Every structure is written in C-alpha cells, then in structure tokens.
Amino acid sequence: MKKILTAVAIALAIGGLTVAHAATTAPSGKAKYAIIFKNTGNPYGEKEMAGFKKAADEVGAEAILKAPDQPTAEAQIQMIGELIAQKVAVIAMVGNDPDALEPALKKAMKAGIKVLSLDSGVNPASRMVHINQADPERIGRVQVQAIAEMIGGSGEIAVLSATSQATNQNLWIEWMKKELAENPKMKNIKLVKVAYGDDLRDKSVAEMEGLLKTYPNLKGVIAPTTVALQPPLVSQPRARC
Amino acid sequence: MELQQPFSLKRFFLQWEWMLVLIFVAVNVINMNLSPYYLDAEGLRDATMSFLDKAFIVLPMVFIIILGDIDISVASIVALASVVMAVSFQAGVPMAAAMVICLLVGTACGFVNGWLIVRFKELSSVIVTLATMIIFRGIAYIILEDQSAGKFPAWFKFLGWGYIGEVPFMLIMFVLAVLFFSWALHKTAFGRRVYSMGNNVTAARFSGINVDGIRILIFTVAGLMSGVTALFLTSRMGSTRPNVATGYELEVITMVVLGGVSTSGGKGRMIGAVIAVFLIGYLRYGLGLINIPAQILLIVIGSLLVAAVLVPNFKWSPRAR
C-alpha cells in the first residue's frame, strides 16, 4: 500500500510543478491579443513577437505570444484551438501554410475573434486584414538586382528559402522570377533551383551543401529568410536581405 | 499468458489502468484550476480532434509492443500514404479512389515491414523499421520534393472537421476502432496467441502458433491504421507535404508505454493505452491554454513517461499483490 502512495505522490508532484508554473500566469481582466508565429527559436520571429508585446502593452492589452516547436501548420491549428477556448480578442497569424489554417481561423472568426495575418499571410477567406510589413515586389526585385551586382551580371543563382508553404517567401520568389524574366539586364542570370531549409539550421545547411555540390558553377544564393543571419550559413557564398 | 485467478476487488483496483484514471482525473482537476477556460464542452470536444488522428496508430502499436517488437516507421508511412493520395488525386483519380489508394499504400508499407522482420530474424524490429522509416519518407520526398499538394474536394474536410450531431466524426470512428481492437486482443484466440508470443516466442512456436503469420499480420494492420491516420491528418490540413506527421512515432509509442504496455512484451491492455491517449491529449491542451512554451510541454510529458515506467515496478512487486 505504501508503494501505491509513493506512486500517487509522484503523480501529484508532477501536477504540483505545473501548478507552480501557472501561478505566474494568472489571468487578468485585460483584453487578450494573441500572436502565433511560424516556429520557436527564430531570431526574426523573436523580434516580431517582442514588438507585438510592446504594442499590446501600449494599448493596455495582455499579449499572448505563441509559436510551435516545429514550423508546421498542424501545430498552429492546435494553437488556434487553444486561443479560441481562451476567448482572446485578437489572433495575429504568421501562417506556415496559406490554406491549411482556413478551417481553424474561420472557426475563430465565427467565435467573434478578430483575425488578421501579418508577414506570412493566409488566404483571404481565413482572415479579415493582412498586414504586409514590406512590399513583396520591391523585396523580390531588389534582391535579384543586388545579387546581379554581386556576381557581376551573369551566372547561375539559387534561392534558399524557408518552408515551401511560407506565403511571404513564396511571394518574394515570384517577384524574383518576374524580375529575372522582365529585366533585360538579368538575361545572363539563371535561377537553377529553389531549395527549402524550413528555417531549421541543420536542414538549411544540408540544403546549402546540396546546392553547392549539385551546381558547381553556382555564383550566388539568395536566402530571403532568418537562417541567412545565422553563423553556419554566413561562411557560405550568399546574398542576404 | 495470465493465469486465471479468483476475482479480487483489491487486485482489481490495484491495476495500472486505475492509476491512469487517477492521473487523468488529476490532470483534469489541475487544468480546471489553471485555466477558467478549460471546462468548456465545446473547447474540450474540439481539442479532442486535434490529437485523435495519431490515436488510430496507438491501437495496432499496442499489439506490436505486446509482441515485444516496435515500429518506428509509422510516421513515415503516414507521410507516404498522404503524399501518394494527394498526387494521385491531382493526377485525376477520383477522391474516393485516392482514399482507397492511401489505405493500400499504408497496408503495403506495413506488409513490407512485417515481411522483412520475419524474413531476417537476426535483425530486430527497431533496425528494420528504422531503415524503412528513412526509405518511406525518402520516397515521399522523391514524389513531391519540397512542394505541397492539396486542393481536395470540400467534402473531404468532413473527415477531420465534421460532426455527426454534436459528436466529432473522428471520435466516433475512433471509438469503433477501439472496440474492434480491444475485442481482438482480449476476447479472441488470436489475442491470446499475441500475449503468448510476447511472453515466450519459442514456446509459442512449439505450441503450433503461426508466429510469423501473426507478426506479418500485425505489422500490416499497423500500416493500414497509419493510412487511416493519413486520411484524417490530411483532411485536417487540407493539403499535404512530405514532412507531415514528423515525430508521430514517438508520440504514439509514448502513449502506449504510458498506457502500461510493457516494452519487454507480453503485458498490458488496450484500455490503458486509450486512457493514455486522452491523458496526454488533455494535458497538452490544458498547458496550451495557459500558453506554456512548446519546450516546457515536452519536459512535462517526458516526466510523465519516466513516472509511467517507474511506477509499475513499484506496484507489480509481489508484496504489493
């Protein structure tokens, strides 16, 4: 019997840990503004979420910052469900997929939550407004112009992006392709491959090494995402934004 | 094989499953205290749908672990089945047929696992499924590269998001699957053979049990159920990519082990694993409601698993009986 009590004690101890943690996050009467970013450990995302918190504090709201440990839509769907249950006032979404979040976000809007997307947008049916922090056309065109300058106007280039569903990066890449097709100065530059490192450091490095091996004549790589700022890639030939 | 013992009320309540019920109640009580939003029928119901997809693999995994084997390729099978379904749908195959293809791909992968394990007895199931785990996901990457595929017809969403009356369709399917798998494990000669193989496979073979056939069958069913998970997961996502379901194999094995199924084989019951599915699911949901960072959540679940492995060792000692 004693041993069973030990077992119960262990179970309660685990419970106790979680209670202790929760004491620091007691709910307040303030309106809750939530943001869901793509994934944790993303330096760009940390900045975006810190800014969100600052702005929420200024208007007297409580900020909820959430990000899944993997950059997947399925994890974000789960988080949207948690936020609906908490009856937040606002969900600001940085989507990992333009379409996969639609059922979950529609449900949030039906529950009276204001849904907006920013940075990496979701499709128009899934949100009320989208806030674009930068002009995709300028980003795409200028990055191609920058790399053209760096490689001297001709040669093979590649793109190392985040996830293949990242709306913002995909839009930028579209504009890069347009710039390559439309600008006569770019006629000697060839985009050989768009690779996806999922914003994960090890995968990005592996993809980068793959690019270097597959395309020995590669002159430049555009990495329009946060991994370009991180050390392992900085040693590689690159253009970053 | 468990010996027939006279029914004793004390022993009945000393089972691991009751401990799980206790922890389950504790988790719920704690969650209610943590968040005023936890006790909400609609929220709880919808939270169920976000973890039930992988729960379909838990059922055959109970069989596999009772055999003393393990299958770590299930998540890759989910990804491959899902990708093949999406690609065949986009190639013009009707959706219903694409769904059948999804299940067939899962079943075929499971059969390959089972066949390899039986054919090469010197290799443990960990090694074989480690290899196929890499191969299956590799094929998924070859088919779809880094792209996503989707644009399924609207009715396909019903699988993952639909309700019959007020009950999620997924939950109904899960309950039916639980009933079937519990029946097969606990009420049939087949189930008793599985337990006897888990306890002593040599003895089982010499008692005339078709051990190879049973192993192949169980791994094949695990593949089929991975296909079922692929259907529900894809429906919830609305699109698929080769990297879906990453880490599902560990979540599934965690649920089974927490459910009291011994990794050394021959011990454990279906109901324990099913309780564990809901225990972990609601624990995650409750901690998510108070916005605990993803990493801390993993630590809590890890601690729970350590406790799950330790506690039966206390309880099943002769003195406690």
Side-chain angles (χ1 to χ4, degrees):
Chain A
M1 206 56 209
K2 223 177 211 170
K3 311 222 158 164
I4 295 156
L5 290 177
T6 323
V8 175
I10 293 175
L12 290 181
I14 295 170
L17 279 178
T18 53
V19 172
H21 187 89
T24 56
T25 53
S28 62
K30 289 193 255 179
K32 292 177 186 158
Y33 291 9
I35 184 169
I36 303 181
F37 192 71
K38 290 177 179 176
N39 61 328
T40 53
N42 182 319
Y44 180 78
E46 304 292 329
K47 291 217 161 50
E48 204 162 81
M49 289 196 283
F52 185 86
K53 183 170 189 328
K54 203 173 156 202
D57 286 345
E58 275 169 17
V59 297
E62 181 192 338
I64 297 176
L65 315 175
K66 273 172 117 73
D69 54 352
Q70 295 285 324
T72 63
E74 51 266 46
Q76 288 188 324
I77 290 174
Q78 202 164 346
M79 292 190 156
I80 294 167
E82 291 161 7
L83 290 174
I84 296 174
Q86 290 179 59
K87 302 187 171 41
V88 297
V90 173
I91 296 178
M93 195 71 223
V94 187
N96 280 329
D97 189 302
D99 301 317
L101 302 171
E102 187 180 323
L105 289 175
K106 271 190 172 156
K107 200 164 199 175
M109 288 191 276
K110 227 173 163 185
I113 297 170
K114 308 279 180 257
V115 175
L116 59 97
S117 63
L118 67 152
D119 193 359
S120 185
V122 292
N123 68 23
S126 325
R127 40 88 174 157
M128 294 164 165
V129 273
H130 174 67
I131 294 144
N132 220 334
Q133 83 280 35
D135 178 2
E137 177 173 358
R138 302 261 322 258
I139 292 183
R141 288 190 190 275
V142 167
Q143 288 199 87
V144 169
Q145 287 156 11
I147 199 135
E149 205 172 291
M150 288 163 78
I151 64 175
S154 72
E156 293 182 346
I157 60 165
V159 172
L160 177 63
S161 186
T163 63
S164 58
Q165 287 79 42
T167 322
N168 50 349
Q169 270 99 3
N170 283 351
L171 202 55
W172 300 342
I173 294 168
E174 280 308 304
W175 282 108
M176 290 177 202
K177 286 179 179 164
K178 273 206 182 116
E179 173 71 11
L180 285 170
E182 290 167 4
N183 191 337
K185 276 190 210 157
M186 307 297 167
K187 66 176 191 302
N188 293 325
I189 298 178
K190 196 176 155 221
L191 177 63
V192 288
K193 167 98 181 166
V194 179
Y196 301 93
D198 293 355
D199 272 350
L200 302 172
R201 207 176 284 210
D202 49 348
K203 186 166 188 242
S204 299
V205 173
E207 289 288 338
M208 184 70 219
E209 284 167 355
L211 286 176
L212 292 175
K213 284 204 182 89
T214 322
Y215 304 101
N217 297 324
L218 200 63
K219 299 240 339 248
V221 174
I222 303 175
T225 182
T226 185
V227 291
L229 305 169
Q230 295 174 2
L233 284 170
V234 174
S235 58
Q236 317 279 8
R238 82 203 192 281
R240 67 181 163 94
C241 73
Chain B
M1 213 178 292
E2 279 175 47
L3 294 171
Q4 285 291 324
Q5 285 169 320
F7 182 80
S8 132
L9 202 63
K10 190 177 160 206
R11 198 167 50 240
F12 182 70
F13 280 103
L14 281 183
Q15 296 172 96
W16 173 243
E17 285 76 12
W18 280 108
M19 189 59 74
L20 280 177
V21 171
L22 200 76
I23 302 177
F24 181 73
V25 171
V27 162
N28 279 288
V29 169
I30 292 167
N31 279 344
M32 275 179 237
N33 288 322
L34 286 183
S35 170
Y37 309 108
Y38 182 74
L39 202 64
D40 173 74
E42 205 174 311
L44 283 176
R45 179 191 68 186
D46 293 350
T48 316
M49 294 161 88
S50 67
F51 62 77
L52 268 190
D53 56 350
K54 64 199 80 141
F56 286 91
I57 315 177
V58 167
L59 308 174
M61 190 64 87
V62 170
F63 280 79
I64 290 179
I65 294 185
I66 286 177
L67 279 184
D69 284 323
I70 203 156
D71 185 346
I72 54 174
S73 71
V74 284
S76 299
I77 299 179
V78 172
L80 181 57
S82 172
V83 163
V84 171
M85 171 172 69
V87 168
S88 36
F89 173 67
Q90 287 188 332
V93 178
M95 195 58 214
M99 287 163 67
V100 174
I101 291 176
C102 173
L103 296 177
L104 287 179
V105 168
T107 312
C109 291
F111 178 79
V112 169
N113 277 337
W115 184 80
L116 285 174
I117 289 167
V118 167
R119 175 75 185 71
F120 301 101
K121 289 214 167 55
E122 61 277 22
L123 296 178
S124 71
S125 50
V126 187
I127 304 299
V128 170
T129 56
L130 175 67
T132 54
M133 169 177 104
I134 300 165
I135 294 170
F136 294 151
R137 202 176 283 276
I139 298 173
Y141 268 106
I142 291 171
I143 294 174
L144 212 51
E145 292 191 329
D146 263 314
Q147 302 305 310
S148 68
K151 304 271 176 275
F152 297 109
W155 62 264
F156 181 60
K157 270 212 172 94
F158 178 81
L159 283 187
W161 294 92
Y163 301 94
I164 292 181
E166 281 297 305
V167 189
F169 175 68
M170 231 170 159
L171 184 61
I172 295 174
M173 295 310 286
F174 182 63
V175 169
L176 292 178
V178 168
L179 291 177
F180 175 77
F181 277 87
S182 315
W183 171 78
L185 184 61
H186 298 303
K187 299 282 172 208
T188 64
F190 173 78
R192 274 187 283 282
R193 289 189 186 121
V194 171
Y195 276 109
S196 73
M197 281 171 67
N199 278 312
N200 188 335
V201 71
T202 317
R205 176 177 288 124
F206 283 115
S207 331
I209 294 175
N210 179 4
V211 293
D212 288 353
I214 287 181
R215 252 175 147 188
I216 293 184
L217 177 65
I218 287 178
F219 274 91
T220 308
V221 171
L224 171 66
M225 294 310 278
S226 304
V228 172
T229 293
L231 286 181
F232 285 112
L233 176 67
T234 316
S235 162
R236 277 190 76 77
M237 306 265 305
S239 71
T240 190
R241 339 171 275 284
N243 66 349
V244 291
T246 315
Y248 269 30
E249 68 280 348
L250 294 180
E251 288 186 47
V252 165
I253 293 167
T254 305
M255 288 167 177
V256 175
V257 173
L258 185 63
V261 181
S262 161
T263 44
S264 48
K267 233 185 244 166
R269 268 180 298 176
M270 195 56 80
I271 185 71
V274 173
I275 298 172
V277 166
F278 286 91
L279 202 165
I280 293 186
Y282 284 134
L283 179 68
R284 267 177 179 275
Y285 176 64
L287 297 185
L289 277 187
I290 52 168
N291 306 309
I292 281 187
Q295 292 89 335
I296 295 183
L297 227 149
L298 296 179
I299 297 174
V300 173
I301 290 172
S303 326
L304 203 62
L305 190 61
V306 172
V309 177
L310 286 181
V311 171
N313 289 336
F314 288 125
K315 196 166 60 93
W316 278 318
S317 63
R319 205 152 59 96
R321 276 188 189 223

